[in-house]
Amino acid sequence: MDTTAPFDVNYAREMIRTTTHPDSIGDHLKKASVFMLMRTPETDPTILAILKADNKGYPWANQVAFPGGHQDPVDASPLSTAYRELREETGILPDQVDYVGSLGHFQTIKNTEIEAFFGIWHGEEEEVVFDPSEIARIVMIPLGEVVKAHHDKAYSGRVPGWDELQYPVEDMAVWGATARIFHYFTELLLV
């Protein structure tokens, strides 16, 4: 993918819908779902992420992540978990999202398996409503910066270890399972 060329939404849809993505490794792990949302893909593609609040004792404090969370018994499916968490964490409603598909399952170092869903978000950053006791702020990450870091760090064609895989964003870094999802998505685009 050329970082100066417009993002091809139809190509991304086709890649996501026709690729066999990482499968679940079983029911022995806790289940969670996240939404990777892209905004304004035709002109300046950005990915919506959240910076978790700096709460003492919270294992994900100060981490950049996608909106999401653990599956509740009331959730009919992993996708319904992703939509519920998206609404709870950002106020973004399902009718503001053009759902594309699942990117598959990604394991965390904390024995959780995350199913990542991808969609196009038809909204503006100013419309996002979040609880500051849980989320410090919304982070709009330019796709071009993710792709550039992917190239600069020579991640293409290989899966870096947990200790190496990081994508710089402003004064932070995306790492862990969120970086794995970035890596996977970027590799799909670069095929």
Side-chain angles (χ1 to χ4, degrees), residues 23-42:
D23 204 0
S24 172
I25 63 168
D27 292 333
H28 63 285
L29 297 174
K30 294 177 274 186
K31 302 297 180 189
S33 297
V34 299
F35 242 119
M36 179 181 187
L37 293 180
M38 183 170 293
R39 184 176 65 90
T40 60
E42 295 82 10

Side-chain angles (χ1 to χ4, degrees), residues 12-165:
R13 282 181 206 282
E14 187 67 19
M15 288 303 296
I16 291 167
R17 291 180 177 160
T18 61
T19 300
T20 301
H21 302 292
D23 204 0
S24 172
I25 63 168
D27 292 333
H28 63 285
L29 297 174
K30 294 177 274 186
K31 302 297 180 189
S33 297
V34 299
F35 242 119
M36 179 181 187
L37 293 180
M38 183 170 293
R39 184 176 65 90
T40 60
E42 295 82 10
T43 57
D44 184 22
T46 54
I47 299 165
L48 182 139
I50 57 176
L51 177 64
K52 299 284 191 172
D54 186 12
N55 293 331
K56 186 177 179 182
Y58 183 58
W60 298 280
N62 296 310
Q63 289 187 23
V64 178
F66 295 122
H70 288 96
Q71 195 168 4
D72 285 348
V74 298
D75 296 329
S77 67
L79 181 58
S80 65
T81 299
Y83 273 119
R84 177 184 53 77
E85 288 284 346
L86 181 64
R87 185 185 69 251
E88 288 175 5
E89 291 188 349
T90 65
I92 296 173
L93 302 173
D95 65 353
Q96 295 174 289
V97 176
D98 178 9
Y99 173 68
V100 175
S102 173
L103 295 171
H105 299 82
F106 302 85
Q107 286 71 48
T108 72
I109 57 174
K110 301 227 183 243
N111 296 317
T112 298
E113 181 176 78
I114 300 169
E115 186 166 3
F117 296 96
F118 182 80
I120 306 297
W121 172 44
H122 304 289
E124 296 296 327
E125 184 178 353
E126 299 79 31
E127 299 170 350
V128 176
V129 178
F130 61 90
D131 179 354
S133 69
E134 290 186 34
I135 298 170
R137 67 185 176 106
I138 299 301
V139 182
M140 298 305 296
I141 303 170
L143 178 61
E145 288 183 19
V146 173
V147 173
K148 182 179 182 323
H150 197 83
H151 283 300
D152 291 352
K153 293 176 175 247
Y155 291 159
S156 294
R158 67 185 185 93
V159 180
W162 287 100
D163 55 339
E164 178 188 3
L165 185 61

